[in-house]
Structure formats: C-alpha cells, structure tokens
C-alpha cells in the first residue's frame, strides 16, 4: 500500500475531476458539489458522488457507500477529494468512515461569501480541521488549494442567487 501523501499534481487532477462532478450535479438540479474517493495508489478513482440534497451531501453519501464496500483498514489509506471544505456532517462521516486523507479545493468561508444566509445552505462556521482536532484519528488535510479556487467557485456563481 502506498503510504506517501498525494503530490500537488495528483491533488489538482482529482480536484478538477470532483469539480466536473459538481458541474454535473448542478446540471441535474442539485447543489453544485462533487467528491471522489481515490485509492491508496493516488491514481485509481474508487467512487464519485455529486450532491443529492441538503442531508445527502456528496461527501457523506460517498463515504457511506465506500464504507459498505471496503474495509476500514483499506479506507485509511484512501484520499477523499471534494470541491468545498466538508461541513460538520460530512467531516464527521469521513471521520467515522475511517478515511485517512482529505483534500478540498475551496474553504467553507469562501462559499459563505457566495451563499450568504441561503435557506438551502445555512453554512456552519466549523472548519473541518477543528472537528478533526477533537477526534482520535490523525486525518491528514490539505486545502484550500489556490490553483483551483476560481474554477470551483465559477460553478457556484449565479447558483445561490
């Protein structure tokens, strides 16, 4: 099993794929969020998921599916890539699902600048790192990633107005 961390090139590639899923979610009338789970080899995409609704976010649905199909030991070596920093619900699901690495493109605070107090996205001001610090697992986190911020935010522009 590959125990190294993902490279910048791998992160950018997978975040762009997650953003393609966010575009697809928006096209079918869902909130524009996308996530993928990548195997420990940092290449193989195991699962992809767009947002479903307000309680079935892309990340939490993906992690639940992965947990039903793969061992916790294997999942610990995987990396979840998501367009926007996971909310408290999704970060908690990632924690309990035993995903060892997280890479997100845009911070939740940036999304809040676009959504404001939108009734469909009442953002919690709880960074995922804060949530993970209260746990017992050393989940590795990268984000926000400057190279993809504009690409990801573009999918959200005009959606929340």
């Amino acid at each position: 099993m590959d125990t190294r961390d993902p490279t910048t090139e791998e992160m950018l590639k997978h975040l762009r794929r997650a953003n393609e899923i966010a575009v697809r979610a928006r096209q079918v009338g869902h909130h524009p969020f996308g996530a993928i789970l990548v195997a420990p080899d940092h290449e193989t995409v195991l699962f992809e998921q767009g947002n479903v609704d307000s309680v079935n976010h892309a990340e939490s649905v993906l992690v639940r599916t992965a947990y039903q199909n793969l061992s916790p030991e294997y999942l610990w070596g995987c990396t979840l890539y998501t367009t926007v920093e996971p909310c408290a619900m999704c970060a908690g699901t990632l924690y309990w699902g035993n995903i060892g690495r997280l890479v997100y493109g845009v911070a939740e605070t940036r999304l809040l600048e676009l959504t404001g107090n939108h009734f469909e996205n009442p953002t919690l001001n709880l960074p995922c790192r804060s949530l993970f610090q209260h746990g017992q697992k050393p989940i590795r986190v990268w984000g926000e990633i400057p190279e993809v911020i504009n690409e990801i935010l573009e999918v959200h522009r005009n959606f929340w107005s």
Side-chain angles (χ1 to χ4, degrees):
M1 185 179 292
D2 193 342
T3 58
R4 70 177 174 82
D5 288 329
T7 66
T8 300
E9 293 77 23
E10 289 165 336
M11 289 183 197
L12 293 174
K13 172 186 167 184
H14 294 309
L15 284 170
R16 288 185 170 120
R17 177 64 192 143
N19 201 39
E20 290 172 10
I21 294 161
V23 168
R24 188 173 69 219
R26 180 178 174 158
Q27 289 170 342
V28 298
H30 299 295
H31 296 170
F33 300 99
I36 64 172
L37 185 66
V38 176
D41 66 4
H42 300 288
E43 185 63 33
T44 307
V45 176
L46 300 169
F47 299 96
E48 299 181 338
Q49 183 66 52
N51 216 65
V52 178
D53 57 36
S54 294
V55 295
N56 290 291
H57 294 179
E59 302 92 339
S60 59
V61 172
L62 183 150
V63 172
R64 285 192 300 270
T65 301
Y67 196 80
Q68 291 173 344
N69 289 282
L70 301 168
S71 73
E73 296 78 22
Y74 183 79
L75 289 169
W76 186 251
C78 294
T79 306
L80 177 72
Y81 289 86
T82 185
T83 53
V84 177
E85 181 178 6
C87 70
M89 174 180 67
C90 293
T93 306
L94 183 142
Y95 177 85
W96 289 109
N98 212 47
I99 308 295
R101 295 183 189 92
L102 167 67
V103 180
Y104 64 86
V106 174
E108 182 75 14
T109 52
R110 256 186 231 276
L111 179 65
L112 178 60
E113 292 170 9
L114 286 177
T115 65
N117 190 23
H118 195 282
F119 71 98
E120 290 184 23
N121 194 41
T123 304
L124 288 168
N125 185 14
L126 179 59
C128 66
R129 284 179 175 90
S130 295
L131 188 140
F132 295 145
Q133 286 173 351
H134 293 280
Q136 299 177 43
K137 299 176 185 181
I139 296 171
R140 305 262 302 143
V141 180
W142 293 266
E144 93 185 339
I145 307 297
E147 294 91 335
V148 296
I149 291 172
N150 289 332
E151 296 168 46
I152 291 170
L153 289 179
E154 188 59 35
V155 180
H156 289 267
R157 283 185 185 36
N158 304 318
F159 182 83
W160 302 102
S161 53

